[in-house]
Amino acid sequence: MSLFSPRVMPAEPAGDDDPFIESLIARMTLEEKAGQLSIFFDNAREDAPDINPAQAAKSLAEVRAEIAAGRVGGLFNGIGVASGRALQKVALEESRLKIPLVFAADVIHGLRTVFPVPLGEAAAFDPDLAERTARAAALEATAVGVQWTFAPMVDVARDQRWGRVVEGAGEDPYLGRVLAAARVRGFQGQDLRDPDTLLATVKHFAAYGAVSGGMEYNSVDLSEATLHDVHLPPFKAGLDAGALSLMTAFNDINGIPATAHRGLLTDVLRKQWRFRGLVVSDFASDAELVSHGHAADEKDAARLSILAGCDVSMASGIYNRYLPELVREGAVPMAVVDESVRRVLRVKKALGLFDNPYRSLDPEKERTQLRLPVTVALAREAARRSVVLLKNEGGLLPLPKGGRRIALIGPFASDRVHLMGPWALWNEQRGVSLEQGLREALDDAQALEVVAGCGIEAPLEGGIAAAVTAAARADVVILSLGEGDEMSGESAARADIGLPAPQLALAEAVAATGKPLVVVLQHGRALALTGAVRAAPALLAAWYLGNESGHALADLIFGDHAPSGRLPVSFPQHAGQQPFHYNHRSTGRPQTQADASRFKSRYREVTHAPLYPFGHGLGYGDIAYGATELDASTLAWDGTATAQVTVTNRGARAMREVAQLYIHQRVASLVRPVRELRGFQAVELKPGESATLRFVLTRQHLAYAGADGRPVAEPGLFDLWIAPSAAGGTPAVLRLLAAV
Ligand code: GLC
């Protein structure tokens, strides 16, 4: 896939001159047009999640009256077929023009069956898996009346203090692009008119992951080059895969709030990328232009948002309140409003809502399509594939299923809720705890003793003493530590990305018993590991694995399956080392591992290196990489070159290996990162088996985005690695020749 993939066949909405749509627009009043451009939090229904009490103002009767008055284009985050049908009926039978509602929800990583959080699933480095889980999530969401998901979140995040790292694909733009496209394909399926498909939304446009200091909702200051080279490509990939909606971000970018950013919403999105779907604000992010100090009042905010290119207002209601008068005053041209309405109606038509307004509102599917065994099995597979084995000294893992007393200690040992992670809004199913997974797998379930030891962020009276006692009489200890689900996700930025002090104290006390220690981490970001946790012989980065968490971890801990995940985010040496990302620029005083002199680009306390690098992950085996080889030392401007490597499984178990292709442009008009991921291939290897992996390169694979967003390829020398992570390895060298 080149850096700027040509548009694939998107789910192209109806053309500009669709007679049906044009006739509808011609009959709409200004108030009805504003209504079509307004969606609201749907918490009047029985199954709405209680995530925003302030929005609970409206009763169901008031919502029905608003729909009948033509002031509602869609609702979000309510689910349930019966109540959805009742609301759609109001639109179809009581409103003047009978335009169907569209029902949306934050289906981020599943609905009734909860999959690993997206950051965890990104660790699988597997677009096919990402597509399959998105497809499975779409089947469940459409079974309960959802037609539009506010996913995939495609923000590139390089500062692990930010809570929403958990929702995306991590720090790398290439991995972000590949997975954005895969998830869009999974959600939208082959034809959006199919009632089992979900309209996808790439979000949050743009650069929300670059908030200063990793602090939630904070300002973003970055260069045009970094914006185009790092943060925009995953959006382009998602739109090229056919996503027909895009959500704006809360943050400002260089002083212009994203929801009023004409440069992005119109110049880039419409003029450069030719996007024909709809743009929806984030939750009241249009009204928040006032708080930003960009709009004088909410009426001004409505004007700025619609003129910039934000078609749909989410939750604030300011389009309903102000668009009619703004048009009547001439502050907003009717043509602008009509174009936004046209985009909304085109998307509703692409969803088949005019022909089948009760699509995805089928009571039979609600009864039969949820938590299917095949979906639960997929959740277990995805959870296994998400776990990253950071360390396994002495081959401590896998553990035998019998003959050992195991002490399972920690605040998440028996947890069945936090393991779902953020944005698991509608799962009355409680997840499979680590305790349950281990007990079910053990030959003797009684060989497991479970002690919480401490709370998630608070000590437990007598907890450490009980934990030490249990550890002392065990043969091996499994420590279940990490972040509670409130410590990750939206409004969960952390100033310190280490483990909470009570958990560290517990780890020190348990480690002091000298028993072999396996640490299982539950988290939504890269963590700064210290003390006994960092020193543990076996370390599993397990993210939030969702419903099948305990089963998947037991599968790996006892060796029924081998870990194969790779880090989508770098684990730093120190919590203060943020933002940190492997694809950083060299600086004029690069500090290499060997060079410890003072006047180099580093902190006093640590080198400019991670504790565990991007792409790192171990298995239960021993994979050897041969040298990275090239079939030629030069690449003609319009030619191809092939890079290859031979990998061998020298271990005793089958392994899934993810070989990663990195490049480094040695000399560039805009200095380039010391290493950039530009491809990866997974291969299953039996014991003793070798495989040669090949990457065919063109200059597009070596190009980067210039400050204007256009691809720039520059002749010169490139280092290339095909390696097991973003660190180490000896590069091959390729010269890109100038155009002749
Ligand atoms: C939230 C999030 C966004 C979500 C929306 C609707 O504040 O920023 O990702 O889709 O509101 O819940």
Side-chain angles (χ1 to χ4, degrees):
M1 173 186 292
S2 81
L3 190 55
F4 298 91
S5 51
R7 284 190 73 86
V8 294
M9 281 310 295
E12 205 56 29
D16 288 334
D17 55 355
D18 181 286
F20 168 75
I21 288 174
E22 295 311 313
S23 72
L24 206 44
I25 291 174
R27 285 183 285 142
M28 293 170 80
T29 66
L30 247 180
E31 285 68 19
E32 286 165 334
K33 291 176 182 177
Q36 266 314 298
L37 304 182
S38 303
I39 67 172
F40 296 96
F41 184 47
D42 179 5
N43 60 352
R45 292 157 65 185
E46 68 281 3
D47 251 354
D50 181 21
I51 54 174
N52 202 310
Q55 285 289 327
K58 288 196 176 72
S59 69
L60 194 52
E62 285 167 321
V63 171
R64 292 168 69 102
E66 291 281 280
I67 294 169
R71 294 166 56 82
V72 180
L75 294 164
F76 66 94
N77 281 345
I79 62 172
V81 166
S83 51
R85 292 182 72 90
L87 293 171
Q88 192 68 292
K89 190 167 184 289
V90 172
L92 296 174
E93 297 179 4
E94 298 177 33
S95 75
R96 190 174 74 87
L97 292 172
K98 308 183 182 339
I99 298 173
L101 297 170
V102 59
F103 293 103
D106 287 291
V107 183
I108 311 297
H109 55 111
L111 192 125
R112 286 283 189 244
T113 305
V114 178
F115 295 101
V117 290
L119 185 64
E121 189 179 80
F125 274 66
D126 186 343
D128 172 66
L129 177 68
E131 185 170 341
R132 284 189 289 136
T133 58
R135 183 91 294 275
L139 284 175
E140 290 204 343
T142 53
V144 295
V146 179
Q147 300 149 344
W148 177 14
T149 180
F150 296 144
M153 185 275 222
V154 301
D155 301 315
V156 174
R158 299 170 142 183
D159 193 318
Q160 303 302 309
R161 291 171 291 184
W162 190 46
R164 303 193 76 168
V165 180
V166 68
E167 296 176 45
E171 71 190 50
D172 181 74
Y174 178 85
L175 183 60
R177 286 175 21 221
V178 170
L179 295 180
R183 303 197 77 214
V184 166
R185 290 193 300 269
F187 287 132
Q188 297 200 160
Q190 294 302 312
D191 182 343
L192 265 181
R193 288 165 302 187
D194 180 336
D196 288 347
T197 64
L198 275 180
L199 170 66
T201 311
V202 285
K203 72 182 186 182
H204 307 79
F205 199 64
Y208 186 7
V211 284
S212 300
M215 189 169 73
E216 184 59 289
Y217 311 127
N218 204 3
S219 301
V220 169
D221 282 295
L222 76 178
S223 67
E224 287 292 314
T226 299
L227 178 64
H228 283 285
D229 196 39
V230 173
H231 297 281
L232 296 188
F235 287 94
K236 181 75 166 51
L239 296 179
D240 285 352
L244 281 185
S245 79
L246 171 144
M247 185 186 293
T248 67
F250 286 121
N251 53 282
D252 72 276
I253 300 151
N254 302 333
I256 302 175
T259 305
H261 201 297
R262 185 174 175 77
L264 281 173
L265 298 179
T266 296
D267 297 343
V268 171
L269 205 49
R270 303 294 181 185
K271 294 179 181 171
Q272 280 184 38
W273 292 0
R274 319 301 298 166
F275 176 56
R276 293 161 40 80
L278 68 83
V279 172
V280 60
S281 78
D282 200 338
F283 198 108
S285 65
D286 49 1
E288 289 173 6
L289 297 183
V290 179
S291 310
H292 275 284
H294 193 63
D297 52 32
E298 287 196 340
K299 179 177 175 182
D300 196 29
R303 179 182 67 83
L304 289 166
S305 300
I306 192 84
L307 288 178
C310 182
D311 302 308
V312 177
S313 168
M314 180 195 292
S316 70
I318 65 173
Y319 279 16
N320 270 341
R321 281 198 295 280
Y322 301 109
L323 275 189
E325 66 184 272
L326 283 165
V327 172
R328 291 190 179 103
E329 290 165 5
V332 172
M334 177 72 90
V336 168
V337 173
D338 286 353
E339 181 55 23
S340 290
V341 172
R342 188 170 291 116
R343 290 166 182 157
V344 171
L345 297 178
R346 277 201 308 238
V347 170
K348 287 188 171 180
K349 184 172 183 184
L351 277 166
L353 282 171
F354 288 107
D355 301 327
N356 178 15
Y358 292 100
R359 67 95 92 193
S360 314
L361 287 163
D362 177 346
E364 183 57 24
K365 288 193 175 177
E366 191 173 43
R367 275 193 295 277
T368 60
Q369 205 161 281
L370 300 177
R371 291 194 55 78
L372 299 173
V374 65
T375 308
V376 175
L378 177 59
R380 183 166 180 166
E381 175 195 353
R384 279 198 301 268
R385 299 281 307 284
S386 300
V387 176
V388 181
L389 178 57
L390 298 176
K391 190 192 261 189
N392 190 24
E393 283 169 355
L396 177 56
L397 289 174
L399 300 178
K401 288 185 178 178
R404 294 257 189 108
R405 284 193 56 76
I406 299 174
L408 172 60
I409 297 169
F412 300 110
S414 309
D415 164 58
R416 302 181 61 206
V417 175
H418 294 274
L419 51 76
M420 298 291 193
W423 293 110
L425 300 177
W426 302 276
N427 58 90
E428 80 274 3
Q429 312 286 338
R430 288 288 174 254
V432 175
S433 68
L434 182 50
E435 174 185 1
Q436 179 186 340
L438 295 174
R439 280 203 200 287
E440 288 177 5
L442 278 166
D443 296 344
D444 170 11
Q446 299 318 307
L448 184 74
E449 181 176 1
V450 181
V451 175
C454 70
I456 295 172
E457 296 184 85
L460 209 54
E461 184 64 37
I464 286 185
V468 168
T469 302
R473 56 184 173 225
D475 300 307
V476 62
V477 176
I478 298 175
L479 259 182
S480 173
L481 306 174
E483 296 181 309
D485 58 7
E486 300 273 316
M487 296 169 69
S488 176
E490 187 174 352
S491 71
R494 294 182 63 207
D496 176 353
I497 60 172
L499 289 175
Q503 295 187 40
L504 294 176
L506 175 67
E508 294 303 331
V510 168
T513 66
K515 292 299 173 71
L517 192 53
V518 175
V519 174
V520 180
L521 296 167
Q522 176 169 283
H523 51 105
R525 51 167 55 85
L527 296 172
L529 305 178
T530 56
V533 174
R534 182 173 174 144
L539 264 174
L540 287 164
W543 323 102
Y544 297 100
L545 293 176
N547 269 118
E548 285 297 293
S549 180
H551 284 150
L553 286 167
D555 291 344
L556 299 172
I557 288 170
F558 293 123
D560 292 348
H561 291 265
S564 59
R566 316 306 278 257
L567 288 179
V569 283
S570 310
F571 270 55
Q573 298 177 72
H574 189 289
Q577 221 179 335
Q578 292 300 315
F580 183 95
H581 49 94
Y582 82 93
N583 41 8
H584 60 77
R585 300 200 281 260
S586 168
T587 79
R589 295 192 173 191
Q591 184 269 322
T592 58
Q593 281 302 342
D595 172 358
S597 68
R598 256 185 70 194
F599 300 96
K600 294 293 181 183
S601 176
R602 53 168 293 161
Y603 295 98
R604 290 185 75 243
E605 303 89 342
V606 290
T607 62
H608 192 175
L611 178 64
Y612 294 107
F614 175 88
H616 170 73
L618 304 177
Y620 291 152
D622 173 11
I623 295 287
Y625 275 69
T628 300
E629 297 164 339
L630 290 163
D631 66 348
S633 58
T634 59
L635 169 61
W637 185 254
D638 290 320
T640 63
T642 299
Q644 69 178 44
V645 73
T646 298
V647 291
T648 303
N649 180 355
R650 296 187 306 203
R653 287 184 59 121
M655 290 272 295
R656 180 182 191 272
E657 179 59 16
V658 180
Q660 303 146 46
L661 170 71
Y662 294 93
I663 70 167
H664 167 231
Q665 181 173 341
R666 289 189 182 179
V667 177
S669 46
L670 283 177
V671 293
R672 300 303 303 152
V674 295
R675 219 177 275 222
E676 295 178 73
L677 182 70
R678 284 301 166 85
F680 58 85
Q681 287 182 33
V683 62
E684 305 282 343
L685 290 172
K686 297 184 186 66
E689 186 179 10
S690 291
T692 298
L693 305 177
R694 293 182 178 81
F695 295 83
V696 178
L697 303 169
T698 64
R699 74 171 186 277
Q700 278 77 16
H701 290 85
L702 307 178
Y704 61 91
D708 62 0
R710 301 191 189 294
V712 174
E714 295 175 317
L717 291 177
F718 289 78
D719 297 308
L720 287 101
W721 299 259
I722 304 174
S725 80
T730 305
V733 182
L734 181 67
R735 178 181 293 280
L736 174 61
L737 302 176
V740 291

